[in-house]
């Protein structure tokens, strides 16, 4: 089915991605880098240790993509092998995960709602099962509480906080999603459980957390994302409206706090038109009359501004705006049409609602908070 050249290219990308995520893992877990010097240098010992992060993380992504691929083969839909995209940015001095994810390209036309649904839902369901297992292991096999001092011996210094402020330390706090919270409370030993600033140093917890993050992104009920396929399968006559509503809610939350009446007037005069222009860019490809687009955009900006007036500390998560841009401008928020809107069978409906439940369990409103 696939040529030897294809196997070679895809295997090479997978290997490079494992190497890149291992390098990134060394930076997150142990503060070690191949560009570091002396104590901060990545040695072979720490490279191998960092594979405790990269193998489960990439393994979960691999299972996710294979879920898509094997289901497409089952339905005789021609698809590419998974393209893993390495993305280590340590040479720029920037934090990264070592990968920009993985994709499979469908090469044949799909004119079946059932096939779209099966192929779309198989990936996140398969990946979620493995992510759940990784997190279960991580929560039930936590190292002793003094493990963190092996990585951060400076924490033993009572004056460390002052030094951190002077030296410009950046703290990253991971936000909770419902599943991570429930598993922590139900499985972890409270005396060993790290706070959300330190989870990045625990390879299985961090890999599982990131897997839940990517699972939730894929299951957003928008356009041609896996969650969009689910909604298209459940509600074929209303999927466009549902996708538009969820996209608008996603953008609304992401943009909360960007414009507010408590900003300096000169700053507001710059931010307001730029933000409204950005919103128009997001909606430009949506198949709505232009006046309807402007009505949505202006109503959204006015509502965000009004809420900021009532609740001055209310903020969304501006990091989602980049993903909203990719959805609005690159992937699109509308699903391809197919012939026929016959209702799915009961089994597929159950799987669809299970996928929606998984999305609710995995979605993190504020996943990465830099302080």
């Amino acid at each position: 089915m696939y040529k030897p050249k294809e196997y070679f290219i895809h295997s090479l990308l997978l290997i490079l991605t494992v190497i890149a995520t291992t390098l990134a893992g060394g930076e997150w877990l142990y503060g070690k880098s191949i560009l570091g010097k002396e104590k901060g240098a990545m040695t072979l010992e720490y490279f191998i240790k960092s594979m405790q992060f990269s193998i489960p993380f990439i393994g979960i992504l691999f299972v996710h993509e294979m879920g898509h691929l094997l289901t497409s083969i089952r339905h005789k839909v021609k698809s590419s092998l998974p393209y893993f995209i390495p993305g280590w940015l340590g040479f720029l001095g920037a934090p990264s995960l070592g990968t920009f994810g993985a994709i499979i390209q469908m090469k044949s036309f799909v004119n079946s709602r059932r096939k779209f649904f099966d192929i779309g839902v198989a990936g996140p369901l398969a990946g979620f099962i493995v992510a759940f297992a990784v997190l279960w292991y991580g929560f039930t096999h936590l190292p002793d509480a003094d493990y963190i001092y092996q990585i951060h011996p400076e924490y033993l210094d009572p004056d460390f906080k002052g030094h951190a402020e002077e030296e410009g330390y950046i703290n990253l706090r991971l936000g909770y999603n419902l599943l991570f919270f429930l598993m922590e409370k139900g499985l972890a030993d409270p005396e060993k459980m790290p706070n959300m600033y330190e989870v990045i140093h625990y390879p299985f917890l961090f890999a599982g957390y990131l897997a839940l993050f990517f699972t939730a992104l894929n299951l957003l009920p928008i356009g041609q994302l896996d969650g969009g396929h689910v909604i298209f399968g459940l509600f074929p006559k209303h999927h466009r409206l549902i996708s538009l509503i969820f996209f608008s809610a996603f953008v609304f939350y992401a943009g909360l706090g960007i414009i507010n009446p408590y900003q300096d007037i000169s700053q507001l005069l710059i931010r307001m038109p730029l933000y409204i222009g950005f919103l128009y860019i997001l909606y430009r490809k949506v198949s709505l009359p232009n006046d309807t687009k402007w009505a949505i955009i202006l109503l959204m900006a006015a509502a965000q501004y009004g809420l900021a007036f009532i609740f001055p500390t209310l903020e969304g998560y501006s990091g989602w705006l980049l993903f909203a841009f990719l959805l609005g401008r690159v992937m699109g928020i509308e699903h391809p049409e197919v012939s026929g809107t016959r209702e799915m069978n009961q089994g597929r409906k159950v799987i669809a609602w299970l996928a929606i439940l998984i999305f609710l369990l995995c979605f993190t409103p504020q996943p990465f908070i830099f302080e």
Side-chain angles (χ1 to χ4, degrees), residues 100-269:
F100 295 115
I103 58 171
I104 280 181
Q105 180 184 8
M106 286 194 287
K107 296 183 177 181
S108 58
F109 178 68
V110 180
N111 190 29
S112 165
R113 187 162 56 95
R114 178 172 57 87
K115 290 181 180 180
F116 264 128
F117 173 81
D118 289 355
I119 294 171
V121 82
L125 288 184
F128 175 78
I129 292 170
V130 181
F132 187 88
V134 168
L135 282 172
W136 186 287
Y137 181 86
F139 280 117
T140 55
H141 291 78
L142 290 170
D144 292 335
D146 61 358
Y147 163 78
I148 195 63
Y149 299 122
Q150 300 173 29
I151 300 169
H152 286 295
E154 66 273 18
Y155 286 179
L156 295 170
D157 181 355
D159 298 322
F160 169 68
K161 185 175 181 180
H163 293 322
E165 291 173 354
E166 291 171 9
E167 296 173 17
Y169 279 76
I170 297 177
N171 287 327
L172 170 65
R173 175 166 58 90
L174 301 181
Y176 274 109
N177 56 61
L178 185 57
L179 180 62
F180 196 92
F181 177 81
L182 292 174
M183 293 187 77
E184 175 188 323
K185 299 305 179 186
L187 298 174
D189 181 342
E191 294 184 0
K192 297 180 179 180
M193 182 64 201
N195 61 46
M196 296 305 281
Y197 290 95
E198 307 299 349
V199 168
I200 59 173
H201 300 304
Y202 293 70
F204 294 101
L205 294 186
F206 192 35
Y209 180 90
L210 293 175
L212 298 187
F213 168 74
F214 283 113
T215 296
L217 281 189
N218 277 286
L219 283 176
L220 281 169
I222 299 171
Q224 298 187 54
L225 295 173
D226 296 337
H229 294 321
V230 171
I231 294 302
F232 183 66
L234 274 177
F235 309 106
K237 298 179 181 179
H238 307 290
H239 67 92
R240 283 188 177 181
L241 178 60
I242 294 171
S243 181
L244 178 62
I245 290 172
F246 271 91
F247 178 71
S248 298
F250 186 67
V251 174
F252 185 86
Y253 170 71
L256 280 173
I258 290 181
I259 53 173
N260 66 73
Y262 302 102
Q263 292 168 340
D264 181 82
I265 187 64
S266 59
Q267 184 183 30
L268 187 60
L269 288 173

